[in-house]
Amino acid sequence: MKYSIGLDYGTNSVRCLIVDVETGQELATSVFEFETGQAGIVLDPADHNLARQHPADYLKGLEVTVKAVVNQAQNNSPNFSPDDIIGIGVDATGSTPIPVDKTGTPLALLDEFKDNPNAMAWLWKDHTSFAEADEITQLAAREHPEYLAKCGGTYSSEWLFSKILHCLRVDPKVFDAAFTWVEHCDWMTAVLTGTDQPHQIKRCRCAAGHKAMFNSNWGGNPARDFLTKLDPKLEPFYKTLSRDTFPIDTKAGELTQTWSDKLGLPAGIPVAMSAFDAHLGAVGSGIAPGKMVQIIGTSSCHMVVFPNDTDLPDILGICGIVDGSILPGHFGIESGQSATGDIFNWFVNYIQPGGPQAGTHESLTEKAAQLKPGQSGLLGLDWNNGNRSILADQRLTGLLIGQTLHTRPEEIYRALIEATVFGTLTIIKRLEEYGISVHEIINCGGITEKNALLMQIYADVTGREMKISRSSQTCALGGAIAGAVVASKNAGGYDTVNNAQQAMCAVRDISYQPIAENHKIYQQLYGLYKQLHDSFGLADHQSSLGNVMKQLLDIKAAV
Amino acid sequence: MKYSIGLDYGTNSVRCLIVDVETGQELATSVFEFETGQAGIVLDPADHNLARQHPADYLKGLEVTVKAVVNQAQNNSPNFSPDDIIGIGVDATGSTPIPVDKTGTPLALLDEFKDNPNAMAWLWKDHTSFAEADEITQLAAREHPEYLAKCGGTYSSEWLFSKILHCLRVDPKVFDAAFTWVEHCDWMTAVLTGTDQPHQIKRCRCAAGHKAMFNSNWGGNPARDFLTKLDPKLEPFYKTLSRDTFPIDTKAGELTQTWSDKLGLPAGIPVAMSAFDAHLGAVGSGIAPGKMVQIIGTSSCHMVVFPNDTDLPDILGICGIVDGSILPGHFGIESGQSATGDIFNWFVNYIQPGGPQAGTHESLTEKAAQLKPGQSGLLGLDWNNGNRSILADQRLTGLLIGQTLHTRPEEIYRALIEATVFGTLTIIKRLEEYGISVHEIINCGGITEKNALLMQIYADVTGREMKISRSSQTCALGGAIAGAVVASKNAGGYDTVNNAQQAMCAVRDISYQPIAENHKIYQQLYGLYKQLHDSFGLADHQSSLGNVMKQLLDIKAAV
């Protein structure tokens, strides 16, 4: 029996699996909740755009979870030996860049900077850099529209260059101390395989392509001029940007003796190039041309692939189209929603309708399930955390319309669910407009297993069957698949990602079929959603409402 | 010492005062909560547009409260005698029509109909007749635009003819059994002075002018044709419609022996013509040209008067302009908001943010008061119960925009308050566009005494001082003023309403001054409110959003 390890660094915790490479079944699993800040996130009460993580949590989580799964596997299966581990794969959230010094050490691990949020990892959902994102978008629109075309028309405040530029502006001390900035996922493979030469840290195709304007169309990285026009001080950083990037079937290196000792694994195990969590989640869900994978959590990602032997046009408002970012040999197309579960969590945790005991997800879902589509008269926009696709605008906010004096919490809860699903449908429609068909939808993420109402609404709104990935840990499973591929077929792994997926991925028996009469009502409601979406989301819309949300944010900022 | 009795029939209770006619001070006060239905209102869980009251509650409330105040006055003041009561005035909500039989008896008081909501009083906030209101508006727009011009451009579902026509359509048995329909306020004066000849029941100018298209411009009632074109079956009802209507300085009649015996008052006391609660509330607050009276409660009324010796144009979207409806010799101009306190009540009672203990008006107000204008980034439309002025459209609904993942209940609560005040400012601006200046604003209603935050927001949004009426019971006080006038000067009363007001009305020492920096921010926010208001409120607006709320209601109705 051969096994692979998958490590999945999420927003609040890291999860580790040992997976049977023949069947994809989990032998052992362990979770480590990040310890710094609130649920692992360093926040700033004065600036709700700020979200950071401490790299020390990443290292502790690595050690704790790998040791735990090895121990667990030995207990569960007397025949298991750490020598049976043939590969390791890692994913992480992103863009979550970390400033590191000349030794590849994150600045936050140095005494001088240990409590400075700017020296920590800038978590994907950190939006402090919205002004810089706008600056980058404007410069690209003027000088390199092709850069924008591959990332949905707007460079996001969540992404690498925005964050580095913001750091340069607000904390030059941290900026100057940084030899370079490394994506969290790349830093993890570097740690496992040796970090002492930070300019040799391998960059994964996924992060580079989706968040750092890397594309073979223009020879890889964006032009040096482009970054130095943003600020000449970006020059040294530019020099450290590697020109090579790699998909997940490439070996990043081998497990070092240091980490072999720490983790109780043999040194030399091949470690696969990493990718973002959603991308490896798509792999672990069995993504293939025509099969969309939806990863639904606090936010959502919608992943599709398209063979790279066909021309693919740029897709307006879709975050990224990157050759090899998901599957080697395919364009990886990522779109997403900045908040899904986070909107429901907001309603339950901040509004607490009926009180913390009464207004739980479970009770609200139960009551909301009694309602018919359209029955509440409510309609919402799912922008409480901005809009990633297809508007690519973080400075949009939520909207709810249709309240009467009789509107009840479960009606609002259902409207919030529906709003997020209408957001998904908007993405699917945009993909289809560009010829990317979606024959099959596979869902993963805890909420897809737990909330049947949510899945039924997805089916009813989209008019499509909703399948659920067999594994509850598709991201980590995707890591394990990558590990099994870089291990090679000779060592008991696979020669291609596709072959590994065939063996290791599956969907569950349960799936959700659209109910025709519900779909009909949702088609009407979607028409109204789209009207609100365009009116409030497009700055130049005839409604003249396209700037209302931003003007409210401007007034708020001025107060 | 001479006294007058004021009776105020509100939405949930009736209140009775004995007032010293020399000073306006209250000698005794009593309240009776209506007993039928929920908080005195008969509801239909299947149709939240329905709101009825049982006339039996009106009679019981009359007897209970008058006896209580007489008893209380005798205890409080040994010199008091029921013989010192020189007049009685009554107000009620409206349009709240009651179907009555040939003896003037409400059908709901007959055994046959006693549990039939259609045979009860159709409370002002009953909106079951929205389709009929639309039908009446359309017919009037085609054939008698002048009728609409005096009632804000739209005939409301809250009003007399809509309700009668709806009854004809849905419950012909009740419709056929009704000899005629009488406004609640008119029925009360009829009860006190004798009802046995229902075709002789005097109609007050206020109800007739504001809700039943009565205007001297076209000789009083609307044309017979107009009603019979709506439905030929309205002919008999039309015949019972009296051609005379009267302001509050007219005597309706004298207290009958029957009610003298029941109430323990001398027979023959003059009873003044009634008016709606808001109109007598305006009188009790000292309304005069240039002085707006705001009555803020579950809904709000905004009352101004203008001397009737000057021409006054029709005012688009203002519910009613009626000569003599508030003060004799003046146009009474009524506008209003369909929900004010009811919106805050909805949030506290239906949403219960943080739970019923945590999310009280008091705690939310306390936290909301810590916020600065604009700080929440939220903005709302105050249409949870439709819009009475200046859109005159009951089929509008609520809207909230600007929510993030950090939005807190007190921010929503404050946004709801601000939305209602923006609604008021929209009314003031409309009046001023038509040359009706508002030099002074006097507020009344319990919430104006209790909620300093609300009053400060009124001052900050409008940029005007907010004064508070001395009496907590201005509607009943207005009734007592009318009673003192019909009593006549000879009997110890007054010759004119104005003279009675001079003696009996006053404002409190406390008032609220606008804070300049807040006003500045609210001016910006109001600009955005007005954009949303026009976009969602005007059916033909360039935004194309003018029908979104109605389409949601259509979908809801079809489900």
Side-chain angles (χ1 to χ4, degrees):
Chain A
M1 302 277 270
K2 297 295 176 191
Y3 299 95
S4 178
I5 283 182
L7 276 155
D8 166 38
Y9 281 87
T11 299
N12 311 104
S13 60
V14 53
R15 191 172 298 265
C16 182
L17 303 184
I18 294 181
V19 175
D20 181 330
V21 298
E22 200 173 326
T23 63
Q25 300 283 5
E26 295 165 18
L27 180 65
T29 174
S30 170
V31 180
F32 173 80
E33 307 283 342
F34 300 141
E35 293 172 341
T36 312
Q38 200 174 314
I41 307 176
V42 175
L43 302 172
D44 178 355
D47 179 3
H48 71 68
N49 283 316
L50 188 140
R52 308 285 159 86
Q53 286 186 327
H54 206 293
D57 287 341
Y58 301 158
L59 295 179
K60 185 167 176 189
L62 176 60
E63 195 167 341
V64 168
T65 59
V66 174
K67 278 162 128 173
V69 288
V70 168
N71 190 33
Q72 205 183 105
Q74 284 170 326
N75 290 338
N76 290 354
S77 170
N79 298 328
F80 171 83
S81 150
D83 294 330
D84 300 331
I85 305 284
I86 61 171
I88 299 175
V90 192
D91 70 71
T93 68
S95 180
T96 302
I98 309 171
V100 301
D101 71 5
K102 280 208 166 83
T103 70
T105 306
L107 299 184
L109 296 183
L110 307 177
D111 261 1
E112 185 186 352
F113 291 113
K114 71 179 168 31
D115 295 323
N116 183 344
N118 297 325
M120 301 178 185
W122 292 48
L123 189 61
W124 65 274
K125 66 173 165 179
D126 183 291
H127 289 148
T128 49
S129 318
F130 61 84
E132 289 78 10
D134 196 42
E135 201 178 329
I136 295 171
T137 299
Q138 287 185 28
L139 180 65
R142 280 198 306 275
E143 307 203 352
H144 290 282
E146 71 278 14
Y147 295 175
L148 292 182
K150 293 292 173 205
C151 65
T154 306
Y155 195 82
S156 165
S157 59
E158 293 187 2
W159 299 350
L160 183 70
F161 299 142
S162 304
K163 285 171 169 167
I164 297 176
L165 188 56
H166 187 66
C167 180
L168 186 164
R169 299 266 163 80
V170 298
D171 198 339
K173 217 171 146 196
V174 164
F175 180 82
D176 290 340
F179 169 76
T180 190
W181 293 67
V182 182
E183 282 285 353
H184 176 194
C185 60
D186 290 332
W187 189 66
M188 294 322 302
T189 51
V191 163
L192 289 165
T193 63
T195 48
D196 47 330
Q197 299 296 328
H199 56 281
Q200 288 175 8
I201 290 178
K202 283 188 180 150
R203 298 173 69 197
C204 70
R205 175 71 52 80
C206 179
H210 284 290
K211 315 295 179 186
M213 295 177 163
F214 188 96
N215 197 297
S216 61
N217 286 12
W218 47 87
N221 289 316
R224 179 161 70 178
D225 272 11
F226 182 72
L227 286 196
T228 55
K229 269 188 194 167
L230 289 169
D231 200 302
K233 295 204 195 81
L234 289 175
E235 169 98 32
F237 163 70
Y238 185 83
K239 283 188 181 158
T240 67
L241 261 186
S242 162
R243 294 179 188 191
D244 294 314
T245 66
F246 306 94
I248 57 165
D249 59 353
T250 307
K251 195 165 83 169
E254 292 169 357
L255 189 67
T256 62
Q257 190 59 53
T258 311
W259 279 93
S260 154
D261 295 343
K262 284 191 189 176
L263 302 177
L265 293 176
I269 297 178
V271 177
M273 282 305 297
S274 63
F276 289 144
D277 45 3
H279 294 67
L280 277 176
V283 172
S285 298
I287 196 168
K291 284 192 196 177
M292 172 184 253
V293 174
Q294 291 197 138
I295 302 162
I296 307 174
T298 54
S299 65
S300 290
C301 281
H302 311 275
M303 321 296 287
V304 290
V305 293
F306 200 78
N308 71 357
D309 52 10
T310 315
D311 255 3
L312 190 65
D314 303 327
I315 307 176
L316 186 66
I318 297 295
C319 317
I321 305 172
V322 175
D323 189 359
S325 70
I326 301 174
L327 292 184
H330 295 75
F331 292 110
I333 302 164
E334 182 201 353
S335 50
Q337 293 173 262
S338 308
T340 298
D342 266 349
I343 297 185
F344 319 145
N345 288 335
W346 161 71
F347 191 60
V348 166
N349 297 328
Y350 279 71
I351 305 304
Q352 297 189 351
Q357 266 74 49
T360 61
H361 287 293
E362 292 71 20
S363 76
L364 287 165
T365 300
E366 195 186 319
K367 288 180 195 162
Q370 309 301 317
L371 299 168
K372 291 189 176 138
Q375 192 182 335
S376 70
L378 295 175
L379 184 61
L381 285 175
D382 50 317
W383 301 345
N384 291 40
N385 196 28
N387 177 296
R388 197 181 299 157
S389 311
I390 58 173
L391 297 166
D393 190 340
Q394 294 303 338
R395 299 194 76 224
L396 294 171
T397 53
L399 181 147
L400 187 68
I401 188 174
Q403 300 91 311
T404 68
L405 296 176
H406 305 267
T407 298
R408 306 195 67 89
E410 60 270 24
E411 295 178 309
I412 296 178
Y413 192 76
R414 186 173 177 122
L416 294 175
I417 290 178
E418 290 167 345
T420 63
V421 180
F422 290 141
T424 301
L425 181 57
T426 308
I427 291 169
I428 294 172
K429 282 177 178 279
R430 175 57 52 92
L431 292 172
E432 292 188 330
E433 281 168 33
Y434 283 79
I436 299 165
S437 55
V438 176
H439 297 305
E440 200 178 325
I441 300 180
I442 302 168
N443 295 276
C444 58
I447 198 171
T448 64
E449 299 167 26
K450 281 185 244 160
N451 196 317
L453 172 65
L454 178 76
M455 294 320 298
Q456 188 60 50
I457 292 175
Y458 268 99
D460 290 343
V461 167
T462 62
R464 292 157 207 257
E465 182 184 0
M466 291 290 138
K467 299 181 179 177
I468 313 286
S469 184
R470 184 185 62 191
S471 171
S472 297
Q473 306 303 336
T474 50
C475 302
L477 174 59
I481 288 172
V485 174
V486 295
S488 87
K489 196 171 176 180
N490 285 343
Y494 296 93
D495 51 355
T496 67
V497 175
N498 185 254
N499 285 342
Q501 285 179 301
Q502 296 291 339
M504 297 170 76
C505 301
V507 295
R508 303 190 176 196
D509 292 337
I510 187 171
S511 79
Y512 298 84
Q513 298 289 344
I515 297 166
E517 82 186 286
N518 291 353
H519 181 54
K520 208 171 148 190
I521 295 167
Y522 278 131
Q523 282 180 304
Q524 293 177 270
L525 288 171
Y526 180 73
L528 298 175
Y529 172 89
K530 194 62 178 18
Q531 260 187 277
L532 294 175
H533 176 281
D534 292 353
S535 300
F536 285 95
L538 303 174
D540 55 354
H541 193 261
Q542 59 155 9
S543 67
S544 317
L545 295 173
N547 279 311
V548 168
M549 290 169 177
K550 293 187 179 95
Q551 286 172 273
L552 285 169
L553 292 177
D554 288 342
I555 292 169
K556 178 177 180 168
V559 166
Chain B
M1 302 278 272
K2 297 295 176 191
Y3 299 94
S4 178
I5 283 182
L7 276 154
D8 165 39
Y9 281 87
T11 299
N12 310 105
S13 60
V14 53
R15 191 172 297 264
C16 183
L17 303 184
I18 294 180
V19 175
D20 180 331
V21 298
E22 200 172 326
T23 63
Q25 300 283 6
E26 295 164 17
L27 181 65
T29 174
S30 169
V31 180
F32 173 80
E33 307 282 344
F34 299 141
E35 293 171 341
T36 312
Q38 198 174 317
I41 307 176
V42 174
L43 302 172
D44 178 354
D47 179 2
H48 70 69
N49 284 315
L50 188 140
R52 308 286 160 85
Q53 287 186 327
H54 206 293
D57 287 341
Y58 301 157
L59 296 178
K60 185 167 177 191
L62 176 61
E63 195 167 343
V64 168
T65 58
V66 174
K67 279 164 130 171
V69 287
V70 169
N71 192 33
Q72 205 184 105
Q74 283 169 325
N75 290 339
N76 290 355
S77 169
N79 298 328
F80 171 83
S81 149
D83 293 332
D84 299 331
I85 304 284
I86 60 171
I88 299 175
V90 193
D91 70 72
T93 68
S95 180
T96 302
I98 309 171
V100 300
D101 71 5
K102 279 210 165 84
T103 71
T105 305
L107 299 184
L109 296 183
L110 307 177
D111 261 0
E112 186 186 353
F113 291 112
K114 71 179 166 34
D115 296 322
N116 183 343
N118 297 324
M120 301 178 186
W122 293 47
L123 189 61
W124 65 275
K125 66 173 163 179
D126 184 289
H127 290 147
T128 49
S129 317
F130 61 85
E132 289 78 9
D134 195 42
E135 203 178 327
I136 295 171
T137 299
Q138 287 185 29
L139 181 64
R142 280 197 307 275
E143 307 203 352
H144 290 282
E146 71 278 15
Y147 295 175
L148 291 183
K150 293 292 172 204
C151 65
T154 306
Y155 195 82
S156 166
S157 59
E158 293 187 1
W159 299 349
L160 183 70
F161 299 142
S162 305
K163 285 170 169 168
I164 297 175
L165 187 56
H166 187 66
C167 180
L168 186 164
R169 299 268 163 79
V170 299
D171 199 339
K173 215 170 149 198
V174 164
F175 179 82
D176 290 339
F179 170 75
T180 190
W181 293 66
V182 182
E183 282 285 352
H184 176 194
C185 60
D186 290 332
W187 189 66
M188 294 321 303
T189 52
V191 163
L192 289 165
T193 63
T195 48
D196 47 330
Q197 300 295 327
H199 56 282
Q200 288 174 8
I201 290 177
K202 284 189 179 149
R203 297 172 70 198
C204 69
R205 175 71 52 80
C206 179
H210 284 290
K211 315 294 179 187
M213 295 177 164
F214 186 96
N215 196 298
S216 61
N217 287 13
W218 48 86
N221 289 316
R224 178 162 71 178
D225 272 11
F226 181 73
L227 286 194
T228 55
K229 269 188 195 168
L230 289 169
D231 200 302
K233 294 205 196 80
L234 289 175
E235 169 99 32
F237 162 70
Y238 185 83
K239 284 190 182 157
T240 67
L241 261 186
S242 163
R243 296 180 187 191
D244 293 314
T245 66
F246 306 94
I248 57 165
D249 60 353
T250 307
K251 194 166 83 170
E254 292 169 358
L255 189 66
T256 63
Q257 190 58 53
T258 310
W259 279 92
S260 154
D261 296 343
K262 284 191 189 174
L263 302 178
L265 293 176
I269 297 179
V271 177
M273 283 305 296
S274 63
F276 289 143
D277 46 3
H279 294 67
L280 277 176
V283 171
S285 298
I287 196 167
K291 285 191 196 178
M292 172 185 253
V293 174
Q294 291 197 137
I295 303 163
I296 307 173
T298 54
S299 65
S300 290
C301 281
H302 310 276
M303 321 295 289
V304 290
V305 293
F306 199 79
N308 72 357
D309 53 9
T310 316
D311 254 4
L312 190 66
D314 304 327
I315 306 176
L316 186 65
I318 296 295
C319 317
I321 305 173
V322 175
D323 188 359
S325 71
I326 301 174
L327 293 184
H330 295 75
F331 293 111
I333 303 165
E334 182 200 353
S335 50
Q337 293 173 262
S338 309
T340 299
D342 265 349
I343 298 185
F344 320 145
N345 288 336
W346 161 71
F347 191 61
V348 166
N349 297 330
Y350 279 71
I351 305 304
Q352 298 189 348
Q357 266 74 47
T360 61
H361 287 293
E362 292 72 20
S363 76
L364 287 165
T365 300
E366 195 184 319
K367 288 180 195 162
Q370 310 301 317
L371 300 168
K372 292 188 175 137
Q375 192 181 336
S376 71
L378 295 174
L379 183 62
L381 285 174
D382 49 317
W383 302 345
N384 291 40
N385 196 27
N387 177 297
R388 197 181 299 158
S389 312
I390 57 172
L391 297 166
D393 190 341
Q394 293 304 336
R395 299 193 76 224
L396 294 172
T397 53
L399 181 148
L400 188 68
I401 188 174
Q403 300 91 309
T404 68
L405 296 176
H406 304 267
T407 298
R408 307 194 67 88
E410 60 269 25
E411 294 178 310
I412 296 178
Y413 192 76
R414 185 172 177 123
L416 295 175
I417 290 178
E418 290 167 345
T420 63
V421 180
F422 290 142
T424 301
L425 180 57
T426 308
I427 291 169
I428 294 173
K429 283 177 178 277
R430 176 57 52 92
L431 292 172
E432 292 188 329
E433 281 168 32
Y434 283 79
I436 299 165
S437 56
V438 176
H439 296 305
E440 200 177 325
I441 300 180
I442 302 168
N443 295 276
C444 58
I447 199 171
T448 64
E449 299 165 28
K450 280 185 243 160
N451 196 317
L453 173 65
L454 179 77
M455 294 320 296
Q456 187 60 50
I457 292 175
Y458 268 99
D460 289 343
V461 167
T462 61
R464 293 156 205 257
E465 181 182 1
M466 291 291 138
K467 299 181 180 178
I468 313 286
S469 184
R470 184 185 64 191
S471 171
S472 297
Q473 306 303 336
T474 50
C475 302
L477 174 60
I481 288 172
V485 173
V486 295
S488 88
K489 195 169 177 182
N490 285 343
Y494 296 93
D495 51 355
T496 67
V497 174
N498 184 255
N499 285 342
Q501 284 179 300
Q502 296 292 338
M504 296 171 75
C505 301
V507 295
R508 302 189 178 198
D509 292 337
I510 187 170
S511 79
Y512 298 84
Q513 298 290 344
I515 297 166
E517 83 186 287
N518 291 352
H519 181 53
K520 208 171 147 191
I521 295 166
Y522 278 131
Q523 282 180 304
Q524 292 176 271
L525 288 171
Y526 179 73
L528 297 175
Y529 172 90
K530 193 64 179 14
Q531 259 187 277
L532 293 175
H533 175 282
D534 292 352
S535 299
F536 285 95
L538 303 174
D540 55 355
H541 193 261
Q542 59 153 11
S543 68
S544 317
L545 295 172
N547 279 310
V548 169
M549 289 169 177
K550 294 187 179 94
Q551 286 171 274
L552 285 169
L553 292 177
D554 288 342
I555 292 170
K556 178 177 180 168
V559 166

